[in-house]
Amino acid sequence: GLPGHQALTALYSTQGGTDLSSLDGILLPSPVPGTAELKDSRYYFAWSFDQTLVRSAQDFGLFGQAAVSDGNPNGLHRSFFLGVGGRGLVPGHSGDNWGIGYYYDNFSQDLKDALEPAIPLRDEQGVELFYNFALAPWCVLGLDLQIIRPALAGDTAVLPGMRAVIRF
């Protein structure tokens, strides 16, 4: 009986694209003209949802998406994210909102092979946490923390942030 949504996305294209499996050993420093082959189709499927779990002054719910593509010519093969978010964790602050989310991106093995060894590409994942304080109906102050294990770098990145939104 609580609000929620689900969506299915299906895409198919016959538009040509670079066949990533044909790039092995020729991508870097640059492909020799005419050496890369073309692939004549691609697909992508995704399921996304959101679901309210608790309906009160401190509403919160779950959201997410899972997606898959052919991985060639698409560079991203699989991905998903999942999170929980809501309003008003602090009593009397129903205008505040918060969220915690996790994502994972799995890159195509053909793309990884084409970039190796010059650019080692690994799957990427990260977590984001945020809290937005509604200081007034026209002013919101947000704090954000992202922790990312990036696809191209060796070290995990920790990115704190702060933002202000003023509506007038």
Side-chain angles (χ1 to χ4, degrees):
L2 296 173
H5 306 90
Q6 295 191 47
L8 293 173
T9 303
L11 303 171
Y12 177 80
S13 175
T14 57
Q15 178 184 10
T18 302
D19 183 347
L20 299 175
S21 66
S22 73
L23 295 179
D24 195 20
I26 63 167
L27 183 60
L28 294 172
S30 65
V32 176
T35 57
E37 297 174 14
L38 293 181
K39 189 165 185 261
D40 62 0
S41 66
R42 63 188 82 200
Y43 68 82
Y44 169 86
F45 298 105
W47 169 65
S48 57
F49 72 94
D50 65 79
Q51 178 62 54
T52 300
L53 299 174
V54 173
R55 190 80 180 191
S56 68
Q58 290 82 30
D59 283 355
F60 76 91
L62 193 62
F63 61 91
Q65 177 175 295
V68 63
S69 80
D70 52 12
N72 183 9
N74 299 312
L76 193 58
H77 188 205
R78 291 182 290 262
S79 68
F80 78 87
F81 64 83
L82 182 65
V84 63
R87 294 186 305 151
L89 283 178
V90 178
H93 289 266
S94 62
D96 292 2
N97 63 36
W98 59 273
I100 302 169
Y102 169 79
Y103 78 94
Y104 180 84
D105 289 335
N106 166 245
F107 292 94
S108 156
Q109 190 61 48
D110 289 328
L111 179 61
K112 291 177 183 179
D113 291 345
L115 295 173
E116 193 72 37
I119 302 175
L121 186 65
R122 64 183 179 192
D123 295 342
E124 182 170 297
Q125 57 186 318
V127 175
E128 181 175 8
L129 302 93
F130 75 88
Y131 196 93
N132 291 321
F133 299 91
L135 303 177
W138 51 270
C139 182
V140 176
L141 177 66
L143 300 176
D144 185 83
L145 179 66
Q146 295 179 36
I147 303 166
I148 302 169
R149 182 180 173 261
L152 294 175
D155 296 331
T156 297
V158 178
L159 306 165
M162 183 169 60
R163 68 187 156 278
V165 176
I166 300 174
R167 295 177 182 92
F168 54 98

mmCIF file of all heavy atoms in Angstrom, residues 118-162:
data_model
loop_
_atom_site.group_PDB
_atom_site.id
_atom_site.type_symbol
_atom_site.label_atom_id
_atom_site.label_comp_id
_atom_site.label_asym_id
_atom_site.label_seq_id
_atom_site.Cartn_x
_atom_site.Cartn_y
_atom_site.Cartn_z
ATOM 1 N N ALA A 118 48.756 -0.588 -21.415
ATOM 2 C CA ALA A 118 49.000 0.852 -21.284
ATOM 3 C C ALA A 118 48.079 1.500 -20.246
ATOM 4 O O ALA A 118 48.517 2.347 -19.466
ATOM 5 C CB ALA A 118 48.819 1.539 -22.641
ATOM 6 N N ILE A 119 46.822 1.111 -20.244
ATOM 7 C CA ILE A 119 45.852 1.669 -19.290
ATOM 8 C C ILE A 119 45.104 0.507 -18.656
ATOM 9 O O ILE A 119 44.137 0.003 -19.223
ATOM 10 C CB ILE A 119 44.852 2.623 -19.980
ATOM 11 C CG1 ILE A 119 45.587 3.764 -20.660
ATOM 12 C CG2 ILE A 119 43.842 3.154 -18.962
ATOM 13 C CD1 ILE A 119 44.688 4.677 -21.456
ATOM 14 N N PRO A 120 45.542 0.051 -17.487
ATOM 15 C CA PRO A 120 44.813 -1.036 -16.833
ATOM 16 C C PRO A 120 43.452 -0.531 -16.339
ATOM 17 O O PRO A 120 43.377 0.433 -15.583
ATOM 18 C CB PRO A 120 45.715 -1.457 -15.679
ATOM 19 C CG PRO A 120 46.739 -0.393 -15.530
ATOM 20 C CD PRO A 120 46.737 0.441 -16.766
ATOM 21 N N LEU A 121 42.400 -1.149 -16.800
ATOM 22 C CA LEU A 121 41.034 -0.753 -16.459
ATOM 23 C C LEU A 121 40.425 -1.834 -15.580
ATOM 24 O O LEU A 121 40.469 -3.013 -15.920
ATOM 25 C CB LEU A 121 40.210 -0.592 -17.741
ATOM 26 C CG LEU A 121 38.797 -0.058 -17.610
ATOM 27 C CD1 LEU A 121 38.809 1.378 -17.101
ATOM 28 C CD2 LEU A 121 38.092 -0.124 -18.956
ATOM 29 N N ARG A 122 39.910 -1.433 -14.457
ATOM 30 C CA ARG A 122 39.256 -2.382 -13.561
ATOM 31 C C ARG A 122 37.809 -1.946 -13.355
ATOM 32 O O ARG A 122 37.422 -0.831 -13.713
ATOM 33 C CB ARG A 122 39.980 -2.447 -12.227
ATOM 34 C CG ARG A 122 39.945 -1.133 -11.469
ATOM 35 C CD ARG A 122 40.728 -1.208 -10.187
ATOM 36 N NE ARG A 122 40.687 0.074 -9.497
ATOM 37 C CZ ARG A 122 41.451 0.380 -8.478
ATOM 38 N NH1 ARG A 122 42.317 -0.493 -8.021
ATOM 39 N NH2 ARG A 122 41.362 1.545 -7.895
ATOM 40 N N ASP A 123 37.003 -2.796 -12.772
ATOM 41 C CA ASP A 123 35.638 -2.431 -12.463
ATOM 42 C C ASP A 123 35.650 -1.342 -11.400
ATOM 43 O O ASP A 123 36.556 -1.273 -10.571
ATOM 44 C CB ASP A 123 34.849 -3.649 -11.976
ATOM 45 C CG ASP A 123 34.702 -4.694 -13.075
ATOM 46 O OD1 ASP A 123 34.887 -4.349 -14.263
ATOM 47 O OD2 ASP A 123 34.395 -5.848 -12.747
ATOM 48 N N GLU A 124 34.648 -0.474 -11.452
ATOM 49 C CA GLU A 124 34.587 0.669 -10.542
ATOM 50 C C GLU A 124 33.424 0.496 -9.583
ATOM 51 O O GLU A 124 32.381 -0.050 -9.952
ATOM 52 C CB GLU A 124 34.417 1.959 -11.349
ATOM 53 C CG GLU A 124 34.400 3.203 -10.492
ATOM 54 C CD GLU A 124 34.467 4.479 -11.315
ATOM 55 O OE1 GLU A 124 35.481 4.685 -11.997
ATOM 56 O OE2 GLU A 124 33.490 5.249 -11.255
ATOM 57 N N GLN A 125 33.624 0.972 -8.354
ATOM 58 C CA GLN A 125 32.540 0.953 -7.374
ATOM 59 C C GLN A 125 32.696 2.118 -6.420
ATOM 60 O O GLN A 125 33.785 2.671 -6.278
ATOM 61 C CB GLN A 125 32.512 -0.375 -6.624
ATOM 62 C CG GLN A 125 33.788 -0.741 -5.917
ATOM 63 C CD GLN A 125 33.704 -2.125 -5.329
ATOM 64 O OE1 GLN A 125 32.683 -2.507 -4.764
ATOM 65 N NE2 GLN A 125 34.775 -2.899 -5.447
ATOM 66 N N GLY A 126 31.585 2.485 -5.801
ATOM 67 C CA GLY A 126 31.637 3.609 -4.897
ATOM 68 C C GLY A 126 30.422 3.690 -3.994
ATOM 69 O O GLY A 126 29.403 3.034 -4.223
ATOM 70 N N VAL A 127 30.566 4.524 -2.979
ATOM 71 C CA VAL A 127 29.520 4.772 -1.997
ATOM 72 C C VAL A 127 29.366 6.282 -1.867
ATOM 73 O O VAL A 127 30.364 7.016 -1.915
ATOM 74 C CB VAL A 127 29.904 4.177 -0.620
ATOM 75 C CG1 VAL A 127 28.882 4.534 0.441
ATOM 76 C CG2 VAL A 127 30.074 2.681 -0.714
ATOM 77 N N GLU A 128 28.128 6.738 -1.729
ATOM 78 C CA GLU A 128 27.881 8.154 -1.481
ATOM 79 C C GLU A 128 26.920 8.287 -0.316
ATOM 80 O O GLU A 128 25.934 7.548 -0.221
ATOM 81 C CB GLU A 128 27.303 8.850 -2.707
ATOM 82 C CG GLU A 128 27.057 10.324 -2.467
ATOM 83 C CD GLU A 128 26.597 11.093 -3.695
ATOM 84 O OE1 GLU A 128 26.322 10.459 -4.724
ATOM 85 O OE2 GLU A 128 26.506 12.325 -3.600
ATOM 86 N N LEU A 129 27.217 9.221 0.585
ATOM 87 C CA LEU A 129 26.344 9.551 1.703
ATOM 88 C C LEU A 129 26.113 11.058 1.659
ATOM 89 O O LEU A 129 27.065 11.824 1.430
ATOM 90 C CB LEU A 129 27.019 9.214 3.037
ATOM 91 C CG LEU A 129 27.467 7.788 3.266
ATOM 92 C CD1 LEU A 129 28.909 7.605 2.855
ATOM 93 C CD2 LEU A 129 27.294 7.445 4.721
ATOM 94 N N PHE A 130 24.876 11.487 1.880
ATOM 95 C CA PHE A 130 24.629 12.926 1.928
ATOM 96 C C PHE A 130 23.534 13.239 2.939
ATOM 97 O O PHE A 130 22.707 12.388 3.275
ATOM 98 C CB PHE A 130 24.257 13.492 0.548
ATOM 99 C CG PHE A 130 22.853 13.170 0.108
ATOM 100 C CD1 PHE A 130 21.787 14.001 0.450
ATOM 101 C CD2 PHE A 130 22.602 12.045 -0.650
ATOM 102 C CE1 PHE A 130 20.496 13.699 0.051
ATOM 103 C CE2 PHE A 130 21.317 11.737 -1.063
ATOM 104 C CZ PHE A 130 20.255 12.561 -0.709
ATOM 105 N N TYR A 131 23.583 14.451 3.447
ATOM 106 C CA TYR A 131 22.506 14.984 4.294
ATOM 107 C C TYR A 131 22.310 16.436 3.907
ATOM 108 O O TYR A 131 23.270 17.208 3.840
ATOM 109 C CB TYR A 131 22.857 14.874 5.791
ATOM 110 C CG TYR A 131 21.632 15.054 6.645
ATOM 111 C CD1 TYR A 131 20.889 13.959 7.061
ATOM 112 C CD2 TYR A 131 21.183 16.319 7.006
ATOM 113 C CE1 TYR A 131 19.745 14.104 7.822
ATOM 114 C CE2 TYR A 131 20.034 16.487 7.760
ATOM 115 C CZ TYR A 131 19.317 15.373 8.171
ATOM 116 O OH TYR A 131 18.182 15.527 8.913
ATOM 117 N N ASN A 132 21.060 16.799 3.625
ATOM 118 C CA ASN A 132 20.708 18.175 3.285
ATOM 119 C C ASN A 132 19.902 18.770 4.429
ATOM 120 O O ASN A 132 18.832 18.249 4.785
ATOM 121 C CB ASN A 132 19.878 18.225 1.998
ATOM 122 C CG ASN A 132 20.691 17.847 0.785
ATOM 123 O OD1 ASN A 132 21.854 18.220 0.669
ATOM 124 N ND2 ASN A 132 20.101 17.097 -0.120
ATOM 125 N N PHE A 133 20.415 19.855 5.005
ATOM 126 C CA PHE A 133 19.745 20.558 6.095
ATOM 127 C C PHE A 133 18.901 21.682 5.498
ATOM 128 O O PHE A 133 19.444 22.580 4.847
ATOM 129 C CB PHE A 133 20.781 21.181 7.050
ATOM 130 C CG PHE A 133 21.675 20.180 7.706
ATOM 131 C CD1 PHE A 133 22.881 19.822 7.121
ATOM 132 C CD2 PHE A 133 21.317 19.588 8.910
ATOM 133 C CE1 PHE A 133 23.723 18.904 7.725
ATOM 134 C CE2 PHE A 133 22.152 18.660 9.516
ATOM 135 C CZ PHE A 133 23.364 18.321 8.927
ATOM 136 N N ALA A 134 17.595 21.648 5.735
ATOM 137 C CA ALA A 134 16.710 22.731 5.279
ATOM 138 C C ALA A 134 16.765 23.829 6.335
ATOM 139 O O ALA A 134 16.076 23.767 7.357
ATOM 140 C CB ALA A 134 15.291 22.217 5.091
ATOM 141 N N LEU A 135 17.610 24.836 6.102
ATOM 142 C CA LEU A 135 17.770 25.919 7.068
ATOM 143 C C LEU A 135 16.579 26.866 7.048
ATOM 144 O O LEU A 135 16.240 27.469 8.058
ATOM 145 C CB LEU A 135 19.070 26.674 6.783
ATOM 146 C CG LEU A 135 20.341 25.816 6.785
ATOM 147 C CD1 LEU A 135 21.548 26.657 6.429
ATOM 148 C CD2 LEU A 135 20.528 25.123 8.127
ATOM 149 N N ALA A 136 15.975 26.999 5.897
ATOM 150 C CA ALA A 136 14.772 27.814 5.692
ATOM 151 C C ALA A 136 14.104 27.266 4.434
ATOM 152 O O ALA A 136 14.733 26.513 3.682
ATOM 153 C CB ALA A 136 15.154 29.292 5.506
ATOM 154 N N PRO A 137 12.839 27.620 4.169
ATOM 155 C CA PRO A 137 12.204 27.114 2.948
ATOM 156 C C PRO A 137 12.978 27.482 1.674
ATOM 157 O O PRO A 137 12.878 26.806 0.665
ATOM 158 C CB PRO A 137 10.826 27.772 2.962
ATOM 159 C CG PRO A 137 10.568 28.098 4.398
ATOM 160 C CD PRO A 137 11.917 28.397 4.991
ATOM 161 N N TRP A 138 13.794 28.514 1.740
ATOM 162 C CA TRP A 138 14.520 28.993 0.569
ATOM 163 C C TRP A 138 16.025 28.690 0.625
ATOM 164 O O TRP A 138 16.773 29.033 -0.287
ATOM 165 C CB TRP A 138 14.307 30.498 0.408
ATOM 166 C CG TRP A 138 14.576 31.274 1.680
ATOM 167 C CD1 TRP A 138 13.675 31.565 2.657
ATOM 168 C CD2 TRP A 138 15.833 31.788 2.118
ATOM 169 N NE1 TRP A 138 14.296 32.238 3.677
ATOM 170 C CE2 TRP A 138 15.626 32.398 3.364
ATOM 171 C CE3 TRP A 138 17.118 31.797 1.571
ATOM 172 C CZ2 TRP A 138 16.640 33.006 4.083
ATOM 173 C CZ3 TRP A 138 18.133 32.406 2.281
ATOM 174 C CH2 TRP A 138 17.884 33.007 3.519
ATOM 175 N N CYS A 139 16.490 28.011 1.691
ATOM 176 C CA CYS A 139 17.930 27.786 1.858
ATOM 177 C C CYS A 139 18.205 26.372 2.373
ATOM 178 O O CYS A 139 17.692 25.978 3.426
ATOM 179 C CB CYS A 139 18.505 28.813 2.826
ATOM 180 S SG CYS A 139 20.290 28.678 3.063
ATOM 181 N N VAL A 140 19.045 25.626 1.629
ATOM 182 C CA VAL A 140 19.417 24.267 2.009
ATOM 183 C C VAL A 140 20.945 24.167 2.004
ATOM 184 O O VAL A 140 21.601 24.602 1.057
ATOM 185 C CB VAL A 140 18.824 23.227 1.023
ATOM 186 C CG1 VAL A 140 19.306 21.827 1.367
ATOM 187 C CG2 VAL A 140 17.308 23.293 1.015
ATOM 188 N N LEU A 141 21.487 23.588 3.063
ATOM 189 C CA LEU A 141 22.920 23.341 3.163
ATOM 190 C C LEU A 141 23.122 21.831 3.137
ATOM 191 O O LEU A 141 22.521 21.097 3.930
ATOM 192 C CB LEU A 141 23.494 23.923 4.456
ATOM 193 C CG LEU A 141 24.983 23.662 4.702
ATOM 194 C CD1 LEU A 141 25.827 24.386 3.657
ATOM 195 C CD2 LEU A 141 25.369 24.105 6.096
ATOM 196 N N GLY A 142 23.960 21.348 2.221
ATOM 197 C CA GLY A 142 24.171 19.910 2.074
ATOM 198 C C GLY A 142 25.599 19.505 2.330
ATOM 199 O O GLY A 142 26.535 20.203 1.942
ATOM 200 N N LEU A 143 25.759 18.365 2.999
ATOM 201 C CA LEU A 143 27.061 17.744 3.210
ATOM 202 C C LEU A 143 27.066 16.421 2.460
ATOM 203 O O LEU A 143 26.057 15.702 2.443
ATOM 204 C CB LEU A 143 27.309 17.503 4.700
ATOM 205 C CG LEU A 143 27.307 18.740 5.588
ATOM 206 C CD1 LEU A 143 27.459 18.338 7.048
ATOM 207 C CD2 LEU A 143 28.404 19.698 5.184
ATOM 208 N N ASP A 144 28.201 16.093 1.857
ATOM 209 C CA ASP A 144 28.283 14.929 0.988
ATOM 210 C C ASP A 144 29.636 14.254 1.178
ATOM 211 O O ASP A 144 30.650 14.930 1.352
ATOM 212 C CB ASP A 144 28.125 15.403 -0.474
ATOM 213 C CG ASP A 144 28.087 14.262 -1.445
ATOM 214 O OD1 ASP A 144 27.006 13.697 -1.619
ATOM 215 O OD2 ASP A 144 29.134 13.938 -2.031
ATOM 216 N N LEU A 145 29.626 12.936 1.138
ATOM 217 C CA LEU A 145 30.875 12.184 1.181
ATOM 218 C C LEU A 145 30.783 11.081 0.138
ATOM 219 O O LEU A 145 29.825 10.302 0.128
ATOM 220 C CB LEU A 145 31.113 11.566 2.563
ATOM 221 C CG LEU A 145 32.394 10.736 2.698
ATOM 222 C CD1 LEU A 145 33.629 11.616 2.548
ATOM 223 C CD2 LEU A 145 32.412 9.997 4.028
ATOM 224 N N GLN A 146 31.780 11.029 -0.753
ATOM 225 C CA GLN A 146 31.858 9.978 -1.767
ATOM 226 C C GLN A 146 33.165 9.212 -1.566
ATOM 227 O O GLN A 146 34.216 9.814 -1.362
ATOM 228 C CB GLN A 146 31.838 10.573 -3.167
ATOM 229 C CG GLN A 146 30.545 11.267 -3.508
ATOM 230 C CD GLN A 146 30.571 11.859 -4.906
ATOM 231 O OE1 GLN A 146 31.150 11.277 -5.813
ATOM 232 N NE2 GLN A 146 29.933 12.999 -5.075
ATOM 233 N N ILE A 147 33.049 7.890 -1.619
ATOM 234 C CA ILE A 147 34.217 7.021 -1.535
ATOM 235 C C ILE A 147 34.191 6.177 -2.800
ATOM 236 O O ILE A 147 33.246 5.413 -3.022
ATOM 237 C CB ILE A 147 34.175 6.135 -0.276
ATOM 238 C CG1 ILE A 147 34.055 7.027 0.963
ATOM 239 C CG2 ILE A 147 35.403 5.239 -0.200
ATOM 240 C CD1 ILE A 147 33.683 6.283 2.223
ATOM 241 N N ILE A 148 35.217 6.345 -3.648
ATOM 242 C CA ILE A 148 35.206 5.749 -4.979
ATOM 243 C C ILE A 148 36.482 4.953 -5.211
ATOM 244 O O ILE A 148 37.587 5.445 -4.983
ATOM 245 C CB ILE A 148 35.075 6.840 -6.063
ATOM 246 C CG1 ILE A 148 33.800 7.644 -5.848
ATOM 247 C CG2 ILE A 148 35.120 6.234 -7.456
ATOM 248 C CD1 ILE A 148 33.708 8.897 -6.698
ATOM 249 N N ARG A 149 36.312 3.741 -5.669
ATOM 250 C CA ARG A 149 37.438 2.935 -6.168
ATOM 251 C C ARG A 149 37.374 3.066 -7.686
ATOM 252 O O ARG A 149 36.646 2.347 -8.357
ATOM 253 C CB ARG A 149 37.305 1.482 -5.747
ATOM 254 C CG ARG A 149 38.472 0.630 -6.195
ATOM 255 C CD ARG A 149 38.274 -0.820 -5.735
ATOM 256 N NE ARG A 149 39.283 -1.671 -6.295
ATOM 257 C CZ ARG A 149 39.123 -2.437 -7.371
ATOM 258 N NH1 ARG A 149 37.981 -2.459 -8.012
ATOM 259 N NH2 ARG A 149 40.099 -3.193 -7.817
ATOM 260 N N PRO A 150 38.110 4.040 -8.245
ATOM 261 C CA PRO A 150 37.957 4.376 -9.667
ATOM 262 C C PRO A 150 38.524 3.314 -10.613
ATOM 263 O O PRO A 150 39.396 2.530 -10.243
ATOM 264 C CB PRO A 150 38.723 5.688 -9.797
ATOM 265 C CG PRO A 150 39.682 5.703 -8.665
ATOM 266 C CD PRO A 150 39.093 4.877 -7.575
ATOM 267 N N ALA A 151 38.001 3.337 -11.824
ATOM 268 C CA ALA A 151 38.407 2.373 -12.847
ATOM 269 C C ALA A 151 39.842 2.582 -13.300
ATOM 270 O O ALA A 151 40.521 1.632 -13.653
ATOM 271 C CB ALA A 151 37.465 2.458 -14.047
ATOM 272 N N LEU A 152 40.334 3.813 -13.314
ATOM 273 C CA LEU A 152 41.641 4.106 -13.897
ATOM 274 C C LEU A 152 42.757 4.365 -12.888
ATOM 275 O O LEU A 152 43.901 4.463 -13.261
ATOM 276 C CB LEU A 152 41.536 5.325 -14.823
ATOM 277 C CG LEU A 152 40.679 5.123 -16.059
ATOM 278 C CD1 LEU A 152 40.544 6.431 -16.822
ATOM 279 C CD2 LEU A 152 41.259 4.043 -16.953
ATOM 280 N N ALA A 153 42.433 4.535 -11.633
ATOM 281 C CA ALA A 153 43.473 4.896 -10.669
ATOM 282 C C ALA A 153 43.669 3.778 -9.663
ATOM 283 O O ALA A 153 42.778 2.968 -9.433
ATOM 284 C CB ALA A 153 43.087 6.187 -9.945
ATOM 285 N N GLY A 154 44.842 3.750 -9.063
ATOM 286 C CA GLY A 154 45.155 2.720 -8.104
ATOM 287 C C GLY A 154 44.561 2.920 -6.727
ATOM 288 O O GLY A 154 44.252 1.969 -6.038
ATOM 289 N N ASP A 155 44.413 4.161 -6.305
ATOM 290 C CA ASP A 155 43.993 4.448 -4.943
ATOM 291 C C ASP A 155 42.504 4.771 -4.859
ATOM 292 O O ASP A 155 41.933 5.359 -5.776
ATOM 293 C CB ASP A 155 44.786 5.632 -4.378
ATOM 294 C CG ASP A 155 46.268 5.326 -4.247
ATOM 295 O OD1 ASP A 155 46.606 4.143 -4.046
ATOM 296 O OD2 ASP A 155 47.072 6.264 -4.357
ATOM 297 N N THR A 156 41.913 4.410 -3.737
ATOM 298 C CA THR A 156 40.525 4.772 -3.461
ATOM 299 C C THR A 156 40.473 6.264 -3.176
ATOM 300 O O THR A 156 41.303 6.800 -2.443
ATOM 301 C CB THR A 156 39.998 3.973 -2.254
ATOM 302 O OG1 THR A 156 40.026 2.587 -2.606
ATOM 303 C CG2 THR A 156 38.603 4.387 -1.883
ATOM 304 N N ALA A 157 39.506 6.941 -3.773
ATOM 305 C CA ALA A 157 39.348 8.387 -3.588
ATOM 306 C C ALA A 157 38.269 8.643 -2.546
ATOM 307 O O ALA A 157 37.207 8.014 -2.570
ATOM 308 C CB ALA A 157 38.967 9.040 -4.908
ATOM 309 N N VAL A 158 38.543 9.578 -1.639
ATOM 310 C CA VAL A 158 37.576 10.013 -0.642
ATOM 311 C C VAL A 158 37.320 11.491 -0.899
ATOM 312 O O VAL A 158 38.241 12.302 -0.828
ATOM 313 C CB VAL A 158 38.096 9.789 0.796
ATOM 314 C CG1 VAL A 158 37.092 10.288 1.817
ATOM 315 C CG2 VAL A 158 38.413 8.314 1.017
ATOM 316 N N LEU A 159 36.074 11.806 -1.259
ATOM 317 C CA LEU A 159 35.734 13.164 -1.683
ATOM 318 C C LEU A 159 34.644 13.749 -0.796
ATOM 319 O O LEU A 159 33.458 13.458 -0.979
ATOM 320 C CB LEU A 159 35.257 13.154 -3.139
ATOM 321 C CG LEU A 159 36.200 12.501 -4.140
ATOM 322 C CD1 LEU A 159 35.487 12.221 -5.440
ATOM 323 C CD2 LEU A 159 37.399 13.385 -4.353
ATOM 324 N N PRO A 160 35.015 14.602 0.164
ATOM 325 C CA PRO A 160 33.989 15.288 0.943
ATOM 326 C C PRO A 160 33.504 16.515 0.170
ATOM 327 O O PRO A 160 34.237 17.082 -0.641
ATOM 328 C CB PRO A 160 34.727 15.693 2.217
ATOM 329 C CG PRO A 160 36.161 15.829 1.793
ATOM 330 C CD PRO A 160 36.361 14.859 0.655
ATOM 331 N N GLY A 161 32.282 16.916 0.424
ATOM 332 C CA GLY A 161 31.755 18.084 -0.255
ATOM 333 C C GLY A 161 30.703 18.795 0.573
ATOM 334 O O GLY A 161 30.142 18.243 1.512
ATOM 335 N N MET A 162 30.472 20.043 0.206
ATOM 336 C CA MET A 162 29.439 20.840 0.839
ATOM 337 C C MET A 162 28.822 21.719 -0.232
ATOM 338 O O MET A 162 29.515 22.181 -1.139
ATOM 339 C CB MET A 162 30.053 21.710 1.950
ATOM 340 C CG MET A 162 29.028 22.511 2.712
ATOM 341 S SD MET A 162 29.662 23.287 4.224
ATOM 342 C CE MET A 162 30.936 24.335 3.591
#
